[in-house]
Amino acid sequence: MTADSTDGWFDPDATTFGDRVTGARERAGMSQADLAKRLGVKLKTLKAWENDLSEPRANKLSMMAGMLNVSLLWLLSGEGEGPGAPEMGELSRDVIDMLTEIRDIRAQMTRATDRLGRLEKTLRAKLREEAGE
């Protein structure tokens, strides 16, 4: 990877909590089963965290950050000390372009999801208002 392509390796605007857990676990060379066992949780619990279906309690989150050698802040927000970019050598321009496009699409989807949530909240409030509540 070139220096430019490692910037934003885990872009906080384009990654979810689950993405960061998965990426840090993989960089640490652990399987899902390994990390679940070390954290003392069921495999399905870890899978739910990585799939953004649930989040760990503070004590497990703190343990996970230590085991994966990343900061707690990074796991939660993508800011701060995270894992380094993988050592893959030089990637072709096509691969770099595809990775960039994937990050861009994910960021657009996140923004659209946030926008949809705000619109739904406004609609619910308007419906309650019109119903006289």
Side-chain angles (χ1 to χ4, degrees), residues 8 16 21 27 44 48 51-52 54 70 74 78 98 102 106 109 116 121 125 133:
T16 65
V21 171
R27 289 291 292 146
K44 73 177 188 173
N51 290 321
D52 294 305
S54 66
V70 296
W74 182 83
M98 284 185 271
I102 288 169
R106 182 173 278 142
M109 289 173 59
L116 180 60
K121 184 177 179 181
E133 291 182 15

Side-chain angles (χ1 to χ4, degrees), residues 5-50:
S5 65
T6 61
D7 293 341
W9 157 240
F10 277 100
D11 183 349
D13 294 331
T15 59
T16 65
F17 171 78
D19 294 333
R20 289 186 293 275
V21 171
T22 301
R25 176 185 52 75
E26 290 172 352
R27 289 291 292 146
M30 281 189 246
S31 70
Q32 286 180 322
D34 292 336
L35 183 56
K37 183 177 180 179
R38 290 184 66 187
L39 289 170
V41 299
K42 293 180 180 178
L43 179 58
K44 73 177 188 173
T45 300
L46 181 67
K47 287 181 178 183
W49 296 342
E50 289 190 1

Side-chain angles (χ1 to χ4, degrees), residues 45-130:
T45 300
L46 181 67
K47 287 181 178 183
W49 296 342
E50 289 190 1
N51 290 321
D52 294 305
L53 300 174
S54 66
E55 293 183 358
R57 292 179 187 239
N59 64 331
K60 296 296 182 186
L61 190 61
S62 179
M63 287 173 58
M64 189 183 325
M67 288 177 189
L68 299 176
N69 199 29
V70 296
S71 73
L72 188 58
L73 179 62
W74 182 83
L75 270 180
L76 291 171
S77 67
E79 304 284 329
E81 181 95 20
E87 302 293 327
M88 290 190 242
E90 288 294 317
L91 296 176
S92 71
R93 171 62 30 210
D94 289 341
V95 170
I96 292 169
D97 289 345
M98 284 185 271
L99 289 170
T100 301
E101 186 173 358
I102 288 169
R103 281 193 300 267
D104 290 346
I105 291 169
R106 182 173 278 142
Q108 289 170 7
M109 289 173 59
T110 299
R111 287 190 300 272
T113 300
D114 291 345
R115 185 173 162 211
L116 180 60
R118 287 190 305 273
L119 184 58
E120 286 176 336
K121 184 177 179 181
T122 303
L123 176 60
R124 281 193 299 273
K126 189 68 172 170
L127 288 172
R128 280 194 301 272
E129 178 185 309
E130 290 184 5

